[in-house]
Amino acid sequence: MDVTTDAAAGAAGPWLVVGLGNPGPEYAMNRHNVGFMVADLLAERMGGRFKRAGKAQAQVVEGRVGPPGPANRRVVLAKPMSYMNLSGGPVNALREFYKVPVANVVAVHDELDIDYGTLRLKLGGGDNGHNGLKSMTKAFGREYHRVRFGIGRPPGRMQVADFVLKDFSSAERKELDYFVDRAADAVECLVVEGLERAQSTYNS
């Protein structure tokens, strides 16, 4: 999708930016919850607080991103309060309620096949075994945007499920705030300036 098409989609309706994770304090610092971390920072930048979204099993913040004028975008930030593998239902309920085109949905999630802290942005594609993406794709198709936050592969013989549900290591936490901040920047760039510009700036 080129910048022109992105801009047309952005003008057609609000954006729904979804941070993927698992609810509950025991999961808060897990690698699998980096999407929640990025969503929390975006909410802070927008000056909003997450609150329960009516009947939807999610928390939301509504606000705007971008400079005044035609580039300014209405954004709904969301954190599904289901577990990761059931994210599609709450996200689709929000998408329908706010009348968000599928192309204006952005999933922010952890990605095993990318080095820690590296970002990759794309539109559509497979789920690469990620249960949150799998659930979203089943609910409304695959043609939504993804901001993929690299967490790397598990060391040695550690199982993937164990790795993603462990907290970031002490070494990783030294740079975590910087990487989360950069991911939030990438989301804002995607929404305001389009996928092509965001990829050229943040895909590394």
Side-chain angles (χ1 to χ4, degrees), residues 120-126 144-148 195 199 203:
R120 293 279 192 278
L121 288 79
K122 69 174 186 174
L123 174 65
Y144 54 91
H145 289 85
R146 297 99 188 276
V147 175
R148 305 154 73 203
L195 178 61
Q199 285 176 324
N203 279 14

Side-chain angles (χ1 to χ4, degrees), residues 88-110:
V91 174
N92 199 40
L94 292 173
R95 191 186 69 77
E96 292 180 343
F97 178 79
Y98 288 102
K99 297 179 172 56
V100 178
V102 173
N104 281 24
V105 176
V106 182
V108 186
H109 64 92
D110 57 305

